[in-house]
Amino acid sequence: MTDSVLKAQMQLFAIVARLDNYDNEAQEQIKTSQLLRIIKDFISSDVADTQIEPYLETFKEYFQLLGKRRKFFEIEEQNNVKRSSLNSVKALRICEELNKELTFRQKYYVYIRICELLALQEHNTGSTLDFLQTLSESFHLDKEDTNLIQKLVLYPFDESDIPPHVLVAKSQKVNNPNYLNVKGINGKVIIAYIHSVNIIFVRYIGTDVFIINGNTYDGKKVFLLQSGSFIQCGPSNKIYQSDLLNRFIQQTNRGKFVFDAQNISWKSKQTNTTIIQPITTSFKAGRLVGIIGFSGSGKTTLIEILNGSIKPTTGSVEINGVDVHSNLSALEGIIGYVPQSDQLSDQLTVYENLYFTAKLCYANATNGQLKVKVHRVLQTFGLYDIKDLKVGDSMDKVISGGQRK
C-alpha cells in the first residue's frame, strides 16, 4: 500500500477511537495503548518494522486533534448526534480516497480491524453501528458478510446460534455439520468464511498459545488465513486453510451435481472416421478432471460434446438426470466453458473487457453494481494488478496466455 493510503487508514482508525467516551485521562491513555497495539499489528504486514513508528504518530496526532475538536460538542446532550454525524462525514471523505487504491480483500481486512478497535469501546453502541454502516456502504461491502464480521468480532460468541458460513473447531465430538472435531484444542476456534472474496478469518477462544504457520500469536485477536497456511492451538492437530476453504465451498454449493456421460462417441461426417471412441464416465461436484491427449486426438471435440455444443453420434450426457443436448436451457448458469480461442477486444483493457461483458449480461444492473461485480472477479482470479493493461493480440502480447484465459 502507498504512504498516502496508510496515512488515510490511520486517520480512519483515529475517528473510530474517538467514538468512545473516556471518563478521565488515565483511561484514555490505557485505551490508546491498546489501540496502538492493534494498529501496529495491522500495518506490520505492509511496512517494515523500522517504518511503523511514523504511521503510529499520524494516528496519535489525528486522535489528539479530534479530541480537541470534540470539546466544542460536549455542551448539550444532542451534540452526541452532531459529533456522530461529523465523524461519518470525515469517514466518508477518507473512504473515498481509500476506495481508489484498496482491493476488496484489503477493504474487508480494514473493516475487520476497525471492528476489533470498536470491540474495545464500551459506549456509543448506536454511533458504533452507524459508523460501521457508513464504512460498509462506502466500501461497497456485502451486507451479509459485514453482519457476520460484526457478530463474531463485536459480541460474545453464542454457540447456540451459529450463523451460516461459520465452523466451530473443538476437541469434543459434536454431531453437527457446523462443528469440526480437532484433537487437542483447549477451548474452541471460531472459523468464518467471507464468500464474496473467498477469505477465511479465525478467532481463538481458549488458554493455549495460538500458532499460525509455526509462529505464536495473541489468541485474543482475529486473524485472516492466507493461502497455504495452517493453525494450531497449543499441542492440537493442525488445521489447514485449504481444507477449510474446500469445506466452505462445498457447503455453499446449491446442492450436489452429478455429471454422467454414458457410451458417448463421435464420428466425423466428412471423413466417416470415428474420432471419439465410446466413453462412459461419471463424477460428482468438487472433482477436478483432466483430459490428456496428443494434438488432434479429439480433446476439444470431447469437451464440446460434454458441454452440449456438439451432439454425440451415440450415447448421452446428463447433469442430475437432465440431458445437456436435448434440454440445455434447463442447465443455464450450470455449465461454463472457456473456448480455445479468446473472445476479447484487443484494444480494451482487462477491466474494460470485463465491464462491457458484464454490462451485456446484467442489463438491469447499475454502473455501481457492475463495478462491484467486475472488481470481485478481478480479485478472485488474481487479475487486479493488471486491470489497466490492454489485452493485446497474438502479435503484440501484453498479458500472458494464462491471464487471457
Side-chain angles (χ1 to χ4, degrees):
M1 287 186 224
T2 64
D3 178 70
S4 60
V5 169
L6 283 169
K7 286 183 177 178
Q9 289 183 31
M10 296 303 103
Q11 293 179 351
L12 195 59
F13 289 156
I15 294 173
V16 173
R18 279 297 176 194
L19 290 176
D20 201 8
N21 291 312
Y22 301 103
D23 296 332
N24 51 60
E25 189 173 335
Q27 185 190 56
E28 181 174 323
Q29 289 179 348
I30 293 172
K31 282 293 180 69
T32 304
S33 63
Q34 292 174 325
L35 294 169
L36 285 171
R37 281 198 296 271
I38 293 177
I39 295 167
K40 184 177 181 179
D41 176 75
F42 172 79
I43 62 174
S44 61
S45 59
D46 297 298
V47 177
D49 290 344
T50 55
Q51 298 176 335
I52 288 178
E53 195 58 37
Y55 295 106
L56 297 182
E57 286 300 319
T58 298
F59 166 80
K60 288 187 282 188
E61 288 172 8
Y62 201 68
F63 180 77
Q64 291 169 359
L65 177 63
L66 291 174
K68 293 176 181 178
R69 291 178 179 175
R70 185 173 186 167
K71 294 178 181 179
F72 292 106
F73 305 110
E74 291 182 342
I75 300 172
E76 301 175 7
E77 186 71 23
Q78 63 179 5
N79 284 330
N80 238 0
V81 177
K82 188 172 183 180
R83 184 171 64 249
S84 176
S85 299
L86 286 172
N87 285 333
S88 295
V89 170
K90 293 170 188 170
L92 275 172
R93 194 178 302 121
I94 295 171
C95 288
E96 285 177 4
E97 294 301 313
L98 295 177
N99 262 327
K100 298 175 184 177
E101 298 197 44
L102 291 183
T103 66
F104 264 102
R105 286 191 175 210
Q106 289 171 330
K107 290 174 187 177
Y108 274 101
Y109 193 23
V110 171
Y111 189 86
I112 290 172
R113 288 294 170 246
I114 283 177
C115 284
E116 280 195 289
L117 295 180
L118 290 170
L120 295 175
Q121 319 291 39
E122 299 174 356
H123 311 290
N124 292 328
T125 302
S127 300
T128 296
L129 296 179
D130 288 344
F131 183 85
L132 287 175
Q133 183 175 348
T134 298
L135 186 64
S136 63
E137 289 176 354
S138 302
F139 280 168
H140 308 295
L141 303 181
D142 185 272
K143 188 174 182 181
E144 182 183 344
D145 289 338
T146 55
N147 286 342
L148 175 61
I149 293 168
Q150 289 181 32
K151 189 168 187 177
L152 296 185
V153 179
L154 290 179
Y155 308 107
F157 182 71
D158 182 6
E159 209 167 320
S160 65
D161 182 26
I162 300 176
H165 307 306
V166 172
L167 289 173
V168 179
K170 302 176 71 172
S171 58
Q172 300 94 333
K173 289 187 177 180
V174 181
N175 188 22
N176 187 310
N178 292 324
Y179 283 85
L180 185 66
N181 176 235
V182 180
K183 290 183 180 179
I185 291 182
N186 182 12
K188 55 195 170 190
V189 180
I190 315 303
I191 306 162
Y193 175 56
I194 308 300
H195 67 91
S196 58
V197 284
N198 221 33
I199 59 175
I200 295 172
F201 70 91
V202 297
R203 174 184 167 199
Y204 174 53
I205 303 173
T207 55
D208 276 332
V209 293
F210 189 65
I211 302 168
I212 301 180
N213 298 332
N215 298 313
T216 303
Y217 295 93
D218 179 5
K220 295 179 181 179
K221 67 186 294 294
V222 172
F223 297 90
L224 269 73
L225 292 188
Q226 303 297 329
S227 297
S229 59
F230 69 85
I231 59 175
Q232 281 179 283
C233 304
S236 75
N237 289 351
K238 293 178 181 178
I239 305 174
Y240 292 92
Q241 180 267 352
S242 56
D243 292 337
L244 294 173
L245 186 60
N246 185 53
R247 180 161 175 167
F248 280 121
I249 290 174
Q250 288 183 355
Q251 285 181 351
T252 53
N253 284 341
R254 296 181 179 177
K256 297 295 182 182
F257 291 103
V258 179
F259 189 96
D260 278 307
Q262 296 294 325
N263 197 39
I264 58 172
S265 67
W266 189 79
K267 180 183 288 188
S268 170
K269 292 180 180 179
Q270 284 87 357
T271 63
N272 200 33
T273 304
T274 299
I275 305 298
I276 305 296
Q277 300 292 338
I279 296 173
T280 294
T281 185
S282 179
F283 45 87
K284 296 181 180 180
R287 294 282 302 279
L288 181 64
V289 179
I291 299 174
I292 302 173
F294 57 82
S295 179
S297 62
K299 299 186 297 297
T300 301
T301 302
L302 176 57
I303 289 174
E304 291 182 339
I305 291 173
L306 296 177
N307 68 32
S309 299
I310 297 177
K311 191 171 183 178
T313 304
T314 66
S316 64
V317 180
E318 297 180 347
I319 296 178
N320 285 9
V322 179
D323 193 291
V324 303
H325 296 99
S326 62
N327 199 9
L328 187 58
S329 60
L331 296 169
E332 185 176 351
I334 301 298
I335 299 175
Y337 175 51
V338 181
Q340 189 166 353
S341 59
D342 299 320
Q343 303 298 315
L344 299 171
S345 178
D346 301 335
Q347 296 305 309
L348 296 180
T349 66
V350 172
Y351 177 87
E352 289 167 340
N353 267 281
L354 287 173
Y355 177 81
F356 289 120
T357 301
K359 201 169 182 67
L360 292 172
C361 294
Y362 302 99
N364 297 323
T366 65
N367 286 337
Q369 290 171 330
L370 291 175
K371 289 178 180 179
V372 169
K373 288 179 181 293
V374 172
H375 276 92
R376 283 179 180 170
V377 170
L378 290 167
Q379 287 297 325
T380 300
F381 291 98
L383 299 172
Y384 193 86
D385 291 339
I386 63 164
K387 66 181 177 67
D388 297 321
L389 296 180
K390 283 187 177 181
V391 168
D393 55 31
S394 58
M395 300 300 293
D396 182 23
K397 291 183 179 180
V398 179
I399 64 176
S400 71
Q403 289 170 331
R404 291 177 70 94
K405 293 300 181 187

